[in-house]
Amino acid sequence: MASVRVDQKKRALVRSVPSSFTNALARFFGQGPTDVELARQQQQAYIQALVDNGIEVHCLAADENHPDCMFVEDQAVVIDGHMLLPTPGHPSRVAEQPPIAEYLMEALKGVQTCTMGGEARMDGGDIIRLGDLFFVGRSSRTNDLGIASLRSLLDFFGYELRVINIPDHALHLTSISSTPTDSIILAPEGYLSPSDFGELPEGCEIVWLPGEEVYGCNTIGLPNGKVLIAKGYPGVERELHARGLETVEIDMSEIRAADGSLTCCSIFY
Ligand code: GLY
């Protein structure tokens, strides 16, 4: 989940991989997954990496009717103890939400929750957070009414929101960028440009990676200072190491085949 600061990552919600995962939506990084067992093993390694790095993980049961259900990030946006339940941008994914919402409402007792109405659409995967500055992708999944709902919540906190147009050859903002720390953005050339992000707060920087490493730009900054990265992106690893950050590498090949990145697979709350 890209809407919490690194220090706020204490608990994560994940959801098991259904046997129907081979029918998951896939348009960008892969041709669709073929090996459900391998995806399950990769998810297990992901969970273990979170646990090993101090995060308490809860896993919801899979929903066979929803091949994309493991990608929980899209279904709920937790910001400083408040929760926005977006209407997901793809119709096949809307009914994934109720068990996730129910679990989080119970886990975050008394949480202030808002929903979206009318034509508003948003996937949580379109949000990244750099400290107290937020970016949202205007994408095939997130429209202006969805962005307006997010803006209302952020206005309540006094946080700034900047909108980035996601190019047609990408799914979400988190598919092509992330904040491994509260002062670094990773972004790929050929997808985004400095003007998309605007002027950053003092001490913050954008680290540009070649377009071939776009998938690797999705990382998870962990509260112990380490960074979870996908295996196979040496430029990402090199740039993080050059900034003194230790990395933990996960093989994401079969999850990537369903256009899923590291952040897609969890909600921090
Ligand atoms: N397969 C993830 C998505 O398209 O939402």
Side-chain angles (χ1 to χ4, degrees), residues 21 24-28 67-68 71 74 90 92-93 96 123 141 171-172 255 257-260 264:
F21 187 56
L25 299 168
R27 262 189 61 207
F28 298 93
D68 286 285
F71 300 127
D74 295 320
H90 195 287
S92 74
R93 301 203 53 201
E96 292 172 28
D123 281 2
R141 302 285 177 87
L171 175 57
H172 291 132
I255 295 170
D259 290 342
C264 305

Side-chain angles (χ1 to χ4, degrees), residues 119-138:
E119 296 306 310
R121 296 288 179 275
M122 171 172 283
D123 281 2
D126 268 317
I127 302 168
I128 65 170
R129 177 174 187 167
L130 182 76
D132 290 337
L133 171 61
F134 286 74
F135 298 90
V136 63
R138 183 188 283 118

Side-chain angles (χ1 to χ4, degrees), residues 64-140:
E64 287 301 335
N65 293 321
H66 292 96
D68 286 285
C69 70
M70 75 169 297
F71 300 127
V72 291
E73 175 181 54
D74 295 320
Q75 301 290 339
V77 180
V78 177
I79 298 173
D80 296 6
H82 287 233
M83 182 159 67
L84 172 62
L85 294 171
T87 304
H90 195 287
S92 74
R93 301 203 53 201
V94 173
E96 292 172 28
Q97 194 178 67
I100 295 169
E102 200 176 303
Y103 176 81
L104 289 173
M105 282 195 250
E106 181 61 31
L108 294 166
K109 280 228 183 306
V111 65
Q112 294 267 5
T113 303
C114 33
T115 54
M116 286 184 181
E119 296 306 310
R121 296 288 179 275
M122 171 172 283
D123 281 2
D126 268 317
I127 302 168
I128 65 170
R129 177 174 187 167
L130 182 76
D132 290 337
L133 171 61
F134 286 74
F135 298 90
V136 63
R138 183 188 283 118
S139 71
S140 59

